[in-house]
Amino acid sequence: MEREDILLTMQRDLTKALQKPPEKQRWGMLIDTRKCVGCHACTIGCVAEYKLPPGVVYRPVMDIESGKFPNVKRQFLPRPCFQCERPSCVGVCPVGATKKEPDGIVSISYEKCIGCRACIANCPYGARTFDSGEYHTEGTPKLQNYEKAGVFEYGKMWKRDGKSAKLIGSTRKCHFCTSRISKGLLPTCVSTCIGRATYFGDLNDDQSLIQKTIKSNAIYRLKEETGNNPQVFYI
C-alpha cells in the first residue's frame, strides 16, 4: 500500500492544533539528519519567502566533515532558531523587543529593536543575524526592485526601502513562519525539504506525527547544557 506523504499528515496535525488557543499550542521541529542530503532547498526556500538580504539567514545548513581519508564522512545539520523554552536572548534585550509568545515561538518586534545586538551575542546557537541594509544586486547596473519589496513577517508587511524601513538595523531570525502557520500552512523549510527530513507540529499533541516520531527514535538536542531547553530535536 502506498504511504501517505508526511506533509499531508503534518498538514492535518497543524489544522487540528490551530483549533486550540495559542497558549495550548507548543510548536516544535524535528530534523532527521539521516534524511538530509545537504541540498539547501530549505535555506533557499526561506531566502525566497522572506527576500533575505546579504548577511541575514534564518535556516543555515551546517556541512560537517569527520574522519580521515579514505574513511571520511559528511553530515548535514540544518540549524533554525530553536525557539527555546528559556531563551537567553530575551532577558538581555534592553527594550523588550524580543519575547516568548504563548505558542512557544520567540518573536522580534522590528518597531522596538534598536540594533544593539545583545541578543545575537547571547544566543548559544548563532540563530540570530543582523540586517545592515545591504542588497544582493547593489553595485550592479541596477538594484532590482524585488530586493526593495516589502516582507511579510509576524502578520505584517515590513518595508526594506526608505527611511521608514524598520527591518534595516534590526536583528532578524527564523520564527517557524508564523504568518504561514496562522493560515494553516507548514513552514517553508518543511514544505521544500526534498528528503522529508524536517518534521513540524504541536508538541502538546501526543498523537501528532512529530511526537510519535520523537518517541520512536533516539533523539538529541544541541547544547542542552545551556539550560535553554530548545524546541528543535534531532535524529
Side-chain angles (χ1 to χ4, degrees):
M1 189 172 68
E2 187 176 348
R3 282 180 132 187
E4 179 180 73
D5 191 318
I6 66 169
L7 291 183
L8 297 176
T9 308
M10 289 188 287
Q11 191 72 57
R12 283 200 303 273
D13 289 344
L14 176 58
T15 301
K16 177 184 175 184
L18 288 174
Q19 295 173 3
K20 302 189 296 184
E23 60 272 13
K24 298 292 185 179
Q25 302 161 355
R26 184 164 65 97
W27 301 119
M29 194 170 281
L30 169 68
I31 300 171
D32 190 342
T33 59
R34 302 169 301 180
K35 294 180 179 180
C36 182
V37 297
C39 69
H40 297 272
C42 58
T43 304
I44 300 305
C46 184
V47 169
E49 181 84 8
Y50 299 107
K51 305 180 184 70
L52 298 182
V56 177
V57 59
Y58 289 0
R59 171 83 173 200
V61 178
M62 306 294 104
D63 189 339
I64 304 166
E65 185 175 303
S66 60
K68 190 174 181 181
F69 181 83
N71 301 310
V72 179
K73 182 175 72 173
R74 290 177 73 192
Q75 182 183 23
F76 304 103
L77 190 75
R79 200 189 64 195
C81 172
F82 290 78
Q83 318 297 345
C84 303
E85 276 197 343
R86 295 184 291 274
S88 55
C89 56
V90 171
V92 297
C93 180
V95 294
T98 187
K99 66 177 181 177
K100 185 80 172 170
E101 298 292 344
D103 59 9
I105 290 175
V106 179
S107 64
I108 298 175
S109 170
Y110 298 134
E111 293 176 328
K112 291 182 179 180
C113 183
I114 58 175
C116 70
R117 296 175 240 198
C119 60
I120 295 177
N122 278 271
C123 175
Y125 302 104
R128 290 173 172 246
T129 48
F130 184 74
D131 191 337
S132 59
E134 297 180 0
Y135 296 96
H136 292 285
T137 56
E138 197 169 3
T140 66
K142 183 181 179 181
L143 181 63
Q144 296 299 307
N145 289 330
Y146 66 81
E147 289 208 75
K148 297 185 288 183
V151 178
F152 196 75
E153 292 187 55
Y154 301 113
K156 182 179 177 179
M157 188 65 73
W158 300 91
K159 291 183 179 180
R160 262 201 100 248
D161 185 41
K163 293 182 179 180
S164 61
K166 299 291 186 180
L167 290 180
I168 296 176
S170 292
T171 297
R172 300 179 64 182
K173 71 171 190 71
C174 157
H175 40 66
F176 281 177
C177 291
T178 55
S179 296
R180 287 176 61 92
I181 295 172
S182 66
K183 298 298 182 182
L185 299 172
L186 293 168
T188 298
C189 59
V190 178
S191 299
T192 56
C193 179
I194 65 172
R196 301 295 188 259
T198 304
Y199 296 75
F200 177 81
D202 180 12
L203 296 174
N204 283 340
D205 182 3
D206 289 337
Q207 298 305 310
S208 64
L209 179 63
I210 186 173
Q211 272 291 23
K212 288 180 179 179
T213 309
I214 286 174
K215 291 177 181 178
S216 61
N217 287 275
I219 57 105
Y220 66 95
R221 294 185 288 184
L222 300 182
K223 298 184 179 181
E224 288 196 84
E225 68 277 6
T226 64
N228 280 25
N229 198 15
Q231 298 303 288
V232 175
F233 303 81
Y234 290 91
I235 301 175

